[in-house]
Amino acid sequence: MKTRLTEMIGIKYPIVLSGMSWISTPKMVAAVSNAGGLGILATGPLNAKQTRDAVREIRSLTDKPFGGNASLMFPGAAENAKVLLQEQVPVINFALGKGDWIVKEAHKYGGKVFATVVNLRHAKRAQDFGTDAILATGQEAAAHGEDVTSLVLIPHLAENLKIPVIGAGGFADGRGLAAALALGASGVAMGTRLMTTKESPLHENYKKLTMEKDVYDTLFSKRFDGILCRVMKTDAAKRAIKKGLSWPAAFFNSRDIAAQAGIPYLKLFIGVLLSGYANAKQLAYMANAFKAIKVATEDGDSKTGVLPVGQVQGLIHDQPTVAELFERIVKEAKEAQGKVNEALE
């Protein structure tokens, strides 16, 4: 397959692994890149040393292009992004912040930078400071989409931007890939589909749940992590959303985050307070959400854990290897293309 994305990065298939915390680990990244896609390392749960070690582990597992992400709102994210730059990671994906400095430094060594966005305003801003491609998150996606679905967001961005658009949200098979390309995308990012593969470190309890759930079995709310976020519908998720923000829990969970990031807690605490109430509230939400996601992903805890998933969970019925999945997706995409060609004759 040949698109602007595959040509830019030098990959076989226009399929990107979304950078999912505790799932997009070095082995998972390498599995996706070795299968012909672009694996993206999730650095959210990592400190700078762990990020550097993870990058080097990926390089020991694959000689294919790969990437790393940085959600710039999170504590320690800027330090992780600097490590990705120092290690000259081929692709850096930033979100929830301004990544102009990442673009400037990555371009010095020939790296590419993708910005994750949910609307045209943010996409144009990223394009203006030199971002190489946009990862457009539709409402169907796991975690942080907004009001516009991929069916509308992709063509809207594609007709208003000069750089490639990668669709995220609603893609699990070859039909979705063919549709995204027809809408003007240069590729798709998959999170929910790829976390239910043999190589994925997602706990088996949640792989099983993902295959059991329907397309209707998600919740979309600001009351889980402070931003519109889509998660699997479970009793634990319902309780978390009903409860909303717990400041006492955030105090204890933020201590864990500070320890994980290697930041003195007092420094983190003062920094959050000085950032203003709105930002402090958002980070408190995130601290609690991180804990719930971690225990779901790593421990398989369905009583207190909460897992971000996309609506495509209802299209997932098996657990193939990444390589098997990609071969199937390509076959399905070509079959879909054939059906469209027949219909248009």
Side-chain angles (χ1 to χ4, degrees), residues 90 117 129 209 250 292 300:
V117 303
F129 59 68
L209 275 175

Side-chain angles (χ1 to χ4, degrees), residues 12-338:
K12 186 176 181 181
Y13 303 130
I15 304 172
V16 177
L17 167 69
S18 299
M20 300 170 284
S21 294
W22 299 288
I23 295 175
S24 299
T25 57
K27 289 183 175 61
M28 186 66 186
V29 170
V32 171
S33 291
N34 284 330
L38 178 71
I40 293 185
L41 172 72
T43 69
L46 309 179
N47 59 38
K49 180 182 184 304
Q50 290 168 330
T51 296
R52 194 180 305 278
D53 290 344
V55 168
R56 293 177 180 180
E57 182 180 351
I58 293 168
R59 286 198 161 115
S60 74
L61 297 170
T62 184
D63 60 358
K64 306 295 184 184
F66 68 96
N69 74 356
S71 295
L72 298 176
M73 178 187 292
F74 299 161
E79 288 70 24
N80 285 341
K82 290 173 185 176
V83 170
L84 297 176
L85 290 165
Q86 292 163 5
E87 293 292 319
Q88 299 191 1
V89 170
V91 177
I92 299 178
N93 169 216
F94 73 88
L96 301 176
K98 189 178 181 184
D100 53 342
W101 60 278
I102 297 175
V103 172
K104 180 181 177 181
E105 294 304 313
H107 285 177
K108 288 181 180 179
Y109 64 82
K112 304 298 182 183
V113 181
F114 297 170
T116 296
V117 303
V118 294
N119 58 49
L120 179 59
R121 180 169 64 88
H122 292 160
K124 279 191 169 180
R125 186 182 179 195
Q127 177 178 259
D128 288 346
F129 59 68
T131 301
D132 298 287
I134 293 299
L135 205 157
T137 307
Q139 193 199 57
E140 309 94 323
H144 303 127
E146 281 197 358
D147 295 327
V148 183
T149 66
S150 293
L151 185 66
V152 177
L153 184 62
I154 291 171
H156 177 56
L157 295 183
E159 69 184 14
N160 284 286
L161 298 174
K162 296 178 181 178
I163 58 179
V165 173
I166 302 162
F171 305 108
D173 55 31
R175 296 170 299 177
L177 174 58
L181 297 177
L183 291 170
S186 294
V188 296
M190 293 184 180
T192 303
R193 172 63 273 195
L194 282 167
M195 74 182 186
T196 311
T197 56
K198 284 188 168 60
E199 293 93 337
S200 167
L202 177 65
H203 196 283
E204 289 298 325
N205 289 351
Y206 275 92
K207 288 183 181 180
K208 184 173 182 290
L209 275 175
T210 300
M211 291 185 283
E212 292 173 352
K213 295 287 186 177
D214 208 334
V215 296
Y216 311 104
D217 294 328
T218 65
L219 300 172
F220 191 52
S221 173
K222 286 186 177 181
R223 291 175 59 82
F224 174 58
D225 71 358
I227 306 174
L228 281 170
C229 184
R230 189 176 299 282
V231 299
M232 181 183 288
K233 184 190 289 185
T234 62
D235 289 343
K238 291 176 186 176
R239 286 194 300 271
I241 288 171
K242 183 178 180 180
K243 184 176 183 180
L245 177 60
S246 168
W247 284 99
F251 174 78
F252 290 104
N253 291 331
S254 63
R255 296 182 73 91
D256 293 340
I257 290 175
Q260 178 67 30
I263 302 171
Y265 183 69
L266 184 60
K267 179 180 179 181
L268 175 66
F269 185 75
I270 293 173
V272 169
L273 288 180
L274 293 176
S275 69
Y277 176 76
N279 192 56
K281 181 179 179 182
Q282 179 59 63
L283 290 172
Y285 260 117
M286 289 289 188
N288 293 342
F290 258 49
K291 178 65 176 293
I293 295 169
K294 185 177 189 293
V295 299
T297 304
E298 292 194 331
D299 304 334
D301 183 343
S302 60
K303 293 183 179 180
T304 61
V306 179
L307 184 69
V309 296
Q311 292 175 326
V312 297
Q313 67 176 359
L315 303 179
I316 297 170
H317 310 297
D318 63 352
Q319 191 181 156
T321 66
V322 173
E324 289 168 347
L325 176 63
F326 282 7
E327 293 300 322
R328 181 199 305 172
I329 287 172
V330 172
K331 181 181 178 182
E332 289 171 344
K334 291 179 179 178
E335 290 172 351
Q337 178 189 32

